[in-house]
Amino acid sequence: MGEKFAKSHHALLSKGEESEMEIFGYKTQRCRKAMCIAGYILSCGALWLVFYWKPAWDVWANCTPCSLQEADVTLLRTTDEFQIYSWKKVTWISVSALNKFRSDYPITADENSIINKAIMKPDLKVRCIQVQKIRYIWNNPEQQFQKVGSLEDSHTCSAIHAKFGSGLRYEEQETRRLICGPNAIDIQVVPIWKLLIKEALNPFYVFQLFSVCLWFAEDYKEYAIAIVIVSLLSVALTVYDLRKQSMKLHRLVECHNGVRVTVGRKGEGFQELESRHLVPGDMLALPGGKALMPCDAILISGGCIVNEGMLTGESIPVTKTHLPQADDSRPWRTCCADDYKRHVLFCGTEVIQTKADGNGPARAVVLRTGFNTAKGELVRSILYPKPMNFKLYRDALRFLMCLIVLATIGMIYAVCVFALNGEEAGEVVKKALDVITIAVPPALPAALTTGIIYTQGRLKKRGIFCISPQRINVCGQLNLICFDKTGTLTEDGLDLWGVITLEGNSFQKVHSFTSGGSLPWGPMYGAMASCHSLIVLDGKIQGDPLDLKMFEATNWEIEDSCEDHVKNGDFPHAVVIKPGPKASSVPVEGIAILHQFPFSSALQRMSVIAQEIGGQQQVFMKGAPETVAKFCRPETVPPGFARELQLYAAQGFRVIGLAHKILQAGRQAAGLTREEVESDLTFLGLLIMENRLKAETKPVLEELSAARIRSVMVTGDNIQTAVTVARDAGMISQGSQVILVEANELSGSPSASITWKLLEESKPNGYSNLETYIQVGGRFSSEVGCSSYHFAMSGKSYQVITQHFSYLLPKLLINGTVFARMSPGQKSSLVEEFQKLDYFVGMCGDGANDCGALKMAHAGISLSEQEASVASPFTSRTPSIECVPELIRQGRAALVTSFCMFKYMALYSTIQYLGVLLLYWQLNSFGNYQFLFQDLAITTVIGITMSLNGAYPKLVPYRPPSQLISPPLLLSVVLNILFSLCMQVFGFVLVQKQPWYAQHNIYSACLNENKSHVENSSSAATISFPGMENAGARDGVDNGYKSYENTTVWFLSTINCLLVALVFSKGKPFRQPVYTNYIFVLVLAVQLGICVFFVFADIDGLYSRLDLVCTPTFWRLSMVIMLLVTFAVSFIVEEAVIENRALWMLLKKCLRYQSKSHYKRLQRMLEQDSAWPPLNETIFSESRGIPVEDTRVAYRNPVFESNEDML
């Protein structure tokens, strides 16, 4: 029974998705709620505040557990390592007023729709919850909450055409609209008063409020007012920033909500309405001109060309084709495989052109609405970003807890001292609570972010934009960078180097276009002219750079659609291409492109159905040569195909395969499936494109290599081309050997095989014009070290290894450098696998194919001209990989700055804490203006300026520590605390030993120097205890703080805060030297000058205001000597011990410490394995492969858990 209840009480929401959460059912109890309300009142709101910070406690206190079916409140918990709680009320939607059907009649035409299953009969009500802008409704038969606002994935291609092709009935539209909600991405501009309240309830400001109330009670009015002003200014700035972000996001999405669309209704024709009234299943008629998509929709007829730059950062036009009416029982997405996105128009993208077909204008079925759309998901990722729990922040919180423990000890000490001396209870409590505000620096969280804010500004100046500032510190830990090839390492534009045609069944000589000779007319010429997805937009041909170069070589032109050219009339809206003025003479008037099957990274090919004007229909295919060859008749592929491909790929050329076939007469292009078209083709030859390395590629990769940061190539290009480019770029050094890893699934068997082959460089006979040629085979040189080999594999092999040889994958990744023919999904998977090995992974790419990997990486860097690409945390406006080392440099500087600020804030509060506890021993403390000077004039100004150091220009071959709980940092803090403690105690004790010292006469030290001052002071000048403060203040003589101990300890602690700031302000090797931070040096010099002036000034008015007393010049010099000695010891220890990397490495060696990172352990293990890597061997897997989905279990992101730098 208990197990059954647990199952009904708890479930997963959005299972398997990025937004997955656990959901628990609870029922509100009136008696519990009444008790909680009483608690709110009796605690003056403190209990409510605790519940506000801890929503789970709120639910547990007010409700009792129950099944989700009975629940009126749900408790939600994220399934990641953070386990963040929130709660939502269950609401009801009534649809009875909209439907006048019988209770047994389905509400929607689709009986299997979740809406039908969710409506409770006969009441016609739906239970729902709203979580992060997404609506979930209760599915009665399945007893779970399910997302609503999109078409079910279970629909087949034919079902979508049949059920939704002619539109929905009016009643069904209204029902869906009520249950799914409006098709709007509404981002309300949050009112200022709400932002103020939310910010004010932050624990930091609540602590500030507690501190201010305490200070007012202790008559610390000036300091309290100053803190109130600073806090109000901080709140105002934060609210202004949040309000600005809210308005910016509102403007980003408001254009989406006001679009007018044409919707078809079953039996009623078309009507125009606002896009916010769209529902999943609606049928849209797409206009002929430009239009903004207000929802995600599946194209069911016609064709479209869209600009998806808003989603991908690429402004290259993308061709969309309609969903085929395939008679397939599989769901439409499974049926279309990786190519399903070619049928989907995404919300927020711009439709540039539409192409009608024989059934009328282009039409689409609404797939997703509102926040379920692609644009909605993007906005949600901005509204609800994934929390970052970098170890620095977690350790900072731990240290804060240590300070709280320290404060508690101080409170006990204060209570004991003051109580034993007979102080009043109220005074004892105030003094004890005061210790908390001293020991715990409330400005620590703000201080840790100053370095990030300054770094973000420096990055922006260099054209690198950041939408996730928390990741800047993570960039300081990157030790592996994955690079896309084309457009990232190599030039974005391609040059057509030549064409290799076939004669008979053998390759001919390369036809070079640079020599000026034109290619003879034939199928190859026709393929180059027509097998592309180029369009004419605003009088200019636009499209993929490769397509552009290929088409420009023909000197043909693209014309607008013209029905007269298509004799059969099968596809009147064809794209027509004709010879241009500079084109060579050809026997055809032009070619009409009747239908396109667009290029897909996953499929690695594209094809078109074209027709010579007055001639017959043909199919042309273009793509990866290996892929194209698979669709050709074997006898048409030359025997030397593999050798020829390797020959040019080894030169770093981009090689494209071309094929064609003639279609049977009478076949309609629009009715043919891709499978029918792409079969029994004739291989035509190879297109050789030259893709040069960018000038900055090699120097950048050399810089990363010198800094011991791994570079990995992840590309969709040919593996031979990728290996050659990797060698040319310096990823693979000249003395290193490349091992090709090939894995294949065995036909007719569930098992697979994996083979290791050595790629050797040699000069083949007959190809003297080429520098190198990659040959498979040979023997592995035993003289080469284990780190001097690199694995290369294709996406297909990677997939097979992931499924069947998962135990080998980590070993292969340790030395894997080239990953070719990788699909977008495989790129994301590879980044995740590297992360599992405890690498801090960066990803640098420029295209839509890299979006998933950019998001998955710890630091994704998009090379885009747009100011901020939504696909990645970082975007470089300049399409150059020079941004990668710059980002790492700035990340390292920001990380070290955070450590410096942390150490300084911890030392500042501890120094002040020790000084106050020493003075408590004599029932004394610092005065109001003494606190004010230390906190505002010293610490606040240093906190603002200390982080201004820029990044050091050179990347050193090691990283800064990733955590505060590391021996060097902890030792630095502890030793400096001890130095400060020794100095303050020494000064406190030594001043009492001086011959001029008198405990109750604060003018005895200057008796001989200033007799008149003593005479005026009279006997009333004796020091008063805290109980006598008011009387002393009325007489204008003393406020109870003046004493020799107070003056000594305050001077020592104040100037020590300045000296510690100088010691902790690190320069090389991660930041610029401290003297380059001119503002900080100037501030420090001015502050030090003022403090020294205070020491030697002896001005009555100034000393009286600061609660200081006159001391002999000798003692003042003694204090300066104590400070100089402490500074010298601290500086020497910091430089000779803490910052002495050689010493720590020696200690690690002596203690036999070894890194706990997974990849380090694997490297050590492989070094001892003489049988690794296996060469010219084939290994077979077990009969059952491991599913890809299973690889994600029990993975913890190493950005949160890395032990590499722990001693």
Side-chain angles (χ1 to χ4, degrees):
M1 187 68 185
E3 186 180 340
K4 187 177 179 181
F5 170 75
K7 192 175 180 181
S8 62
H9 165 66
H10 165 255
L12 282 176
L13 205 64
S14 300
K15 187 176 181 181
E17 297 182 21
E18 198 173 346
S19 57
E20 181 183 86
M21 287 185 175
E22 290 178 282
I23 182 170
F24 304 87
Y26 286 88
K27 201 167 188 65
T28 307
Q29 296 292 317
R30 290 183 181 177
C31 60
R32 286 186 171 217
K33 197 163 186 67
M35 290 173 66
C36 287
I37 292 171
Y40 300 157
I41 297 168
L42 293 173
S43 65
C44 299
L47 182 62
W48 177 86
L49 196 61
V50 171
F51 285 170
Y52 174 78
W53 293 333
K54 293 286 187 180
W57 295 5
D58 188 8
V59 173
W60 294 335
N62 283 279
C63 311
T64 55
C66 68
S67 67
L68 286 167
Q69 188 176 10
E70 301 168 336
D72 59 2
V73 172
T74 58
L75 182 64
L76 302 160
R77 183 175 67 191
T78 59
T79 54
D80 54 23
E81 63 268 35
F82 308 104
Q83 296 200 332
I84 299 169
Y85 282 95
S86 59
W87 64 270
K88 297 291 177 184
K89 281 190 75 70
V90 178
T91 56
W92 291 83
I93 301 173
S94 176
V95 295
S96 57
L98 295 178
N99 294 278
K100 302 176 178 59
F101 305 117
R102 300 191 313 270
S103 61
D104 59 340
Y105 192 85
I107 302 297
T108 63
D110 182 12
E111 294 184 18
N112 295 321
S113 167
I114 183 179
I115 293 175
N116 264 335
K117 296 176 181 178
I119 296 175
M120 295 182 177
K121 299 172 184 177
D123 299 333
L124 298 180
K125 287 184 178 181
V126 177
R127 297 174 71 232
C128 73
I129 54 173
Q130 191 100 357
V131 181
Q132 294 185 350
K133 302 291 185 181
I134 298 292
R135 183 174 290 182
Y136 296 84
I137 59 177
W138 180 252
N139 185 328
N140 291 296
E142 297 184 22
Q143 294 287 291
Q144 62 177 345
F145 281 103
Q146 288 185 332
K147 191 185 295 186
V148 72
S150 58
L151 279 186
E152 287 79 4
D153 290 335
S154 57
H155 289 299
T156 63
C157 294
S158 56
I160 290 174
H161 282 276
K163 293 179 180 178
F164 308 108
S166 55
L168 300 174
R169 291 177 291 107
Y170 173 79
E171 295 82 1
E172 185 170 348
Q173 275 185 326
E174 291 297 314
T175 304
R176 285 178 178 266
R177 190 174 300 145
L178 186 63
I179 294 174
C180 298
N183 172 42
I185 303 176
D186 282 325
I187 303 294
Q188 299 298 329
V189 178
V190 185
I192 291 176
W193 66 269
K194 276 190 177 180
L195 290 171
L196 279 170
I197 292 173
K198 187 175 180 181
E199 189 65 21
L201 292 178
N202 186 298
F204 164 68
Y205 290 113
V206 172
F207 179 65
Q208 287 283 45
L209 180 64
F210 161 76
S211 303
V212 166
C213 292
L214 181 63
W215 294 329
F216 272 116
E218 294 183 327
D219 208 27
Y220 293 173
K221 291 178 183 176
E222 296 89 347
Y223 186 52
I225 291 170
I227 291 298
V228 167
I229 292 170
V230 171
S231 297
L232 287 175
L233 185 63
S234 176
V235 169
L237 287 171
T238 305
V239 168
Y240 170 77
D241 190 41
L242 290 171
R243 174 84 172 178
K244 187 179 174 183
Q245 289 179 18
S246 181
M247 293 177 72
K248 189 176 180 180
L249 200 55
H250 176 74
R251 285 194 296 269
L252 174 71
V253 300
E254 65 179 345
C255 60
H256 157 93
N257 300 321
V259 180
R260 300 288 296 181
V261 293
T262 304
V263 178
R265 280 185 177 164
K266 188 174 284 186
E268 298 181 28
F270 291 93
Q271 69 175 86
E272 195 173 285
L273 46 79
E274 280 192 14
S275 60
R276 67 184 301 109
H277 299 307
L278 289 174
V279 297
D282 266 335
M283 188 269 288
L284 289 174
L286 300 174
K290 290 185 179 181
L292 196 68
M293 280 302 297
C295 61
D296 288 356
I298 309 172
L299 196 62
I300 59 170
S301 72
C304 287
I305 295 170
V306 299
N307 180 1
E308 294 185 340
M310 192 281 296
L311 294 177
T312 65
E314 277 190 307
S315 295
I316 294 173
V318 179
T319 302
K320 301 286 184 177
T321 58
H322 65 78
L323 186 74
Q325 294 193 41
D327 190 12
D328 196 315
S329 59
R330 295 177 298 169
W332 72 275
R333 192 173 293 190
T334 307
C335 182
C336 298
D338 293 328
D339 208 28
Y340 78 92
K341 290 183 180 179
R342 288 294 174 181
H343 309 306
V344 180
L345 305 172
F346 293 104
C347 177
T349 59
E350 184 185 23
V351 178
I352 301 171
Q353 286 181 2
T354 58
K355 299 177 184 178
D357 59 11
N359 300 323
R363 291 175 296 131
V365 172
V366 176
L367 177 64
R368 291 180 286 262
T369 58
F371 283 95
N372 293 288
T373 62
K375 187 174 181 179
E377 286 290 335
L378 164 64
V379 174
R380 286 178 65 238
S381 70
I382 297 171
L383 289 172
Y384 309 103
K386 273 192 169 183
M388 288 287 291
N389 190 22
F390 190 43
K391 271 210 159 185
L392 169 67
Y393 307 120
R394 192 183 66 188
D395 291 347
L397 290 174
R398 286 177 177 175
F399 196 83
L400 270 178
M401 296 306 296
C402 293
L403 290 178
I404 291 171
V405 171
L406 201 64
T408 306
I409 296 170
M411 284 176 65
I412 297 169
Y413 165 81
V415 169
C416 294
V417 169
F418 283 94
L420 289 173
N421 282 276
E423 291 297 317
E424 294 179 5
E427 191 67 27
V428 173
V429 170
K430 283 193 288 185
K431 291 297 182 186
L433 292 176
D434 206 27
V435 176
I436 298 177
T437 65
I438 296 168
V440 182
L444 180 59
L448 288 174
T449 60
T450 53
I452 294 174
I453 293 167
Y454 292 142
T455 304
Q456 195 173 1
R458 286 194 290 268
L459 287 172
K460 195 171 183 180
K461 286 180 183 177
R462 289 165 173 79
I464 302 171
F465 300 92
C466 174
I467 60 172
S468 181
Q470 288 178 320
R471 289 183 185 256
I472 291 175
N473 274 340
V474 184
C475 292
Q477 286 294 301
L478 295 181
N479 56 358
L480 186 147
I481 311 292
C482 295
F483 291 98
D484 181 34
K485 183 180 77 70
T486 308
T488 303
L489 298 174
T490 60
E491 296 288 350
D492 198 15
L494 296 166
D495 293 322
L496 185 58
W497 188 77
V499 172
I500 304 175
T501 56
L502 294 181
E503 186 173 314
N505 199 23
S506 60
F507 286 108
Q508 300 302 298
K509 288 185 178 180
V510 178
H511 174 85
S512 175
F513 287 91
T514 55
S515 60
S518 58
L519 186 70
W521 173 255
M524 175 66 87
Y525 199 120
M528 290 176 62
S530 60
C531 193
H532 54 74
S533 56
L534 301 174
I535 63 164
V536 177
L537 189 62
D538 300 326
K540 185 180 178 183
I541 299 176
Q542 295 189 16
D544 186 88
L546 188 151
D547 286 352
L548 272 172
K549 286 291 182 183
M550 180 184 72
F551 183 71
E552 286 171 358
T554 65
N555 291 315
W556 280 38
E557 296 175 344
I558 300 178
E559 290 192 355
D560 294 331
S561 302
C562 181
E563 295 185 23
D564 296 336
H565 288 306
V566 185
K567 305 297 182 185
N568 294 337
D570 294 331
F571 204 94
H573 298 274
V575 175
V576 177
I577 50 176
K578 281 183 160 186
K582 297 181 180 179
S584 59
S585 178
V586 292
V588 295
E589 185 183 347
I591 298 176
I593 302 173
L594 306 179
H595 191 73
Q596 288 183 15
F597 297 99
F599 176 78
S600 162
S601 299
L603 301 178
Q604 297 178 346
R605 68 183 188 274
M606 76 162 292
S607 55
V608 296
I609 301 174
Q611 181 177 1
E612 296 176 6
I613 295 174
Q616 53 193 351
Q617 292 184 3
Q618 297 186 67
V619 173
F620 293 105
M621 177 188 280
K622 172 176 99 275
E626 313 97 304
T627 303
V628 172
K630 291 176 186 176
F631 293 90
C632 296
R633 288 178 285 116
E635 64 270 17
T636 67
V637 180
F641 167 78
R643 189 173 185 275
E644 195 80 8
L645 175 59
Q646 288 177 350
L647 175 65
Y648 291 99
Q651 280 293 100
F653 289 114
R654 181 101 179 256
V655 186
I656 307 296
L658 295 166
H660 92 120
K661 78 172 179 180
I662 297 173
L663 282 178
Q664 295 177 2
R667 299 294 300 272
Q668 289 191 355
L672 293 171
T673 64
R674 189 162 193 162
E675 289 73 20
E676 291 176 308
V677 170
E678 296 176 339
S679 61
D680 296 326
L681 300 174
T682 299
F683 192 76
L684 293 176
L686 301 172
L687 200 67
I688 313 297
M689 312 291 289
E690 192 173 18
N691 195 197
R692 298 186 183 92
L693 276 178
K694 289 182 179 178
E696 65 274 8
T697 294
K698 194 165 185 177
V700 167
L701 294 181
E702 285 174 351
E703 183 180 8
L704 294 177
S705 177
R708 293 184 184 174
I709 297 171
R710 271 188 69 186
S711 298
V712 171
M713 185 188 295
V714 189
T715 179
D717 208 342
N718 177 278
I719 194 165
Q720 309 289 357
T721 304
V723 168
T724 304
V725 171
R727 284 193 183 278
D728 293 343
M731 270 187 190
I732 300 172
S733 59
Q734 293 301 319
S736 299
Q737 295 174 306
V738 180
I739 299 169
L740 178 65
V741 181
E742 289 184 336
N744 296 287
E745 290 182 332
L746 303 178
S747 58
S749 170
S751 61
S753 66
I754 182 170
T755 306
W756 286 265
K757 299 176 183 177
L758 189 64
L759 294 181
E760 285 191 336
E761 285 191 354
S762 61
K763 286 206 172 186
N765 297 327
Y767 292 93
S768 56
N769 60 320
L770 296 174
E771 295 175 8
T772 58
Y773 169 67
I774 292 183
Q775 178 183 349
V776 179
R779 298 179 63 186
F780 190 64
S781 173
S782 59
E783 296 177 3
V784 180
C786 64
S787 61
S788 299
Y789 64 87
H790 300 260
F791 290 123
M793 69 182 77
S794 66
K796 177 190 170 186
S797 295
Y798 172 79
Q799 192 74 16
V800 173
I801 291 167
T802 305
Q803 292 181 351
H804 297 273
F805 301 95
S806 58
Y807 66 95
L808 284 175
L809 186 60
K811 294 182 180 181
L812 293 169
L813 294 184
I814 292 297
N815 287 83
T817 301
V818 176
F819 298 85
R821 295 287 188 227
M822 297 286 280
S823 68
Q826 289 168 345
K827 288 183 179 182
S828 301
S829 171
L830 179 67
V831 169
E832 188 177 5
E833 291 297 333
F834 273 126
Q835 289 173 332
K836 290 179 185 179
L837 295 178
D838 291 347
Y839 280 109
F840 282 79
V841 184
M843 173 71 198
C844 185
D846 69 326
N849 302 337
D850 307 314
C851 284
L854 289 170
K855 287 182 178 179
M856 178 65 69
H858 294 129
I861 310 154
S862 173
L863 305 183
S864 169
E865 293 181 2
Q866 296 187 9
E867 181 170 319
S869 170
V870 298
S872 63
F874 299 95
T875 304
S876 173
R877 181 173 284 179
T878 307
S880 163
I881 65 168
E882 289 177 328
C883 64
V884 175
E886 181 61 34
L887 187 60
I888 296 172
R889 276 193 290 269
Q890 296 294 343
R892 288 180 173 185
L895 187 56
V896 171
T897 298
S898 295
F899 288 139
C900 292
M901 285 307 305
F902 174 86
K903 288 166 65 176
Y904 175 72
M905 294 302 293
L907 255 296
Y908 140 72
S909 61
T910 309
I911 288 169
Q912 198 175 70
Y913 168 81
L914 293 172
V916 169
L917 291 190
L918 277 173
L919 294 176
Y920 273 7
W921 185 254
Q922 290 193 331
L923 307 183
N924 200 348
S925 183
F926 290 147
N928 298 358
Y929 285 102
Q930 290 177 327
F931 276 125
L932 194 66
F933 185 81
Q934 283 187 344
D935 292 332
L936 291 182
I938 301 291
T939 306
T940 304
V941 179
I942 286 176
I944 293 170
T945 58
M946 190 177 182
S947 304
L948 288 171
N949 291 48
Y952 194 66
K954 183 183 178 182
L955 280 176
V956 292
Y958 51 91
R959 299 172 293 161
S962 63
Q963 50 195 5
L964 288 167
I965 313 300
S966 64
L969 285 168
L970 281 179
L971 186 63
S972 175
V973 172
V974 170
L975 285 178
N976 277 281
I977 288 174
L978 289 175
F979 297 154
S980 299
L981 177 63
C982 291
M983 181 183 64
Q984 290 189 51
V985 171
F986 183 72
F988 183 82
V989 173
L990 193 62
V991 73
Q992 296 174 358
K993 305 290 185 183
Q994 301 305 307
W996 43 262
Y997 172 80
Q999 185 175 359
H1000 300 298
N1001 185 356
I1002 58 174
Y1003 300 111
S1004 61
C1006 299
L1007 188 62
N1008 299 324
E1009 299 177 17
N1010 195 353
K1011 285 186 179 180
S1012 61
H1013 187 92
V1014 177
E1015 288 169 1
N1016 291 334
S1017 67
S1018 74
S1019 61
T1022 55
I1023 187 168
S1024 60
F1025 290 100
M1028 302 163 57
E1029 287 176 20
N1030 294 334
R1034 281 194 300 270
D1035 294 338
V1037 178
D1038 184 22
N1039 61 9
Y1041 296 119
K1042 293 180 180 179
S1043 71
Y1044 293 119
E1045 291 89 348
N1046 174 290
T1047 301
T1048 301
V1049 171
W1050 187 79
F1051 274 132
L1052 292 176
S1053 62
T1054 303
I1055 299 176
N1056 194 27
C1057 284
L1058 292 174
L1059 300 179
V1060 163
L1062 185 59
V1063 170
F1064 284 168
S1065 188
K1066 304 294 181 191
K1068 292 193 269 186
F1070 303 113
R1071 298 204 308 168
Q1072 294 276 17
V1074 66
Y1075 57 79
T1076 62
N1077 187 350
Y1078 306 116
I1079 297 175
F1080 175 66
V1081 172
L1082 179 64
V1083 162
L1084 216 56
V1086 170
Q1087 288 175 333
L1088 195 58
I1090 291 171
C1091 289
V1092 172
F1093 172 75
F1094 284 172
V1095 171
F1096 293 100
D1098 195 15
I1099 300 171
D1100 288 346
L1102 178 65
Y1103 269 37
S1104 177
R1105 179 65 68 179
L1106 286 173
D1107 298 315
L1108 300 173
V1109 297
C1110 176
T1111 56
T1113 306
F1114 170 76
W1115 181 246
R1116 302 181 197 194
L1117 289 171
S1118 299
M1119 286 192 290
V1120 171
I1121 292 170
M1122 279 187 269
L1123 286 163
L1124 288 174
V1125 170
T1126 305
F1127 171 71
V1129 172
S1130 178
F1131 183 80
I1132 291 169
V1133 167
E1134 195 74 17
E1135 293 300 315
V1137 179
I1138 307 301
E1139 294 298 310
N1140 190 339
R1141 179 172 168 78
L1143 176 64
W1144 289 102
M1145 295 302 290
L1146 182 63
L1147 276 173
K1148 285 183 178 183
K1149 190 175 181 181
C1150 293
L1151 296 173
R1152 296 183 179 179
Y1153 168 81
Q1154 292 182 325
S1155 173
K1156 296 177 183 177
S1157 295
H1158 192 182
Y1159 74 92
K1160 288 282 189 183
R1161 294 201 304 267
L1162 267 175
Q1163 283 175 345
R1164 292 194 295 268
M1165 184 186 75
L1166 294 177
E1167 284 173 5
Q1168 306 300 321
D1169 189 353
S1170 59
W1172 185 265
L1175 282 176
N1176 302 320
E1177 291 183 20
T1178 300
I1179 298 176
F1180 295 91
S1181 70
E1182 298 294 330
S1183 59
R1184 181 174 295 179
I1186 300 172
V1188 182
E1189 291 77 18
D1190 289 353
T1191 60
R1192 63 186 294 274
V1193 296
Y1195 164 55
R1196 299 191 72 182
N1197 195 319
V1199 74
F1200 313 126
E1201 299 290 340
S1202 175
N1203 301 311
E1204 183 179 356
D1205 294 302
M1206 287 185 66
L1207 185 66

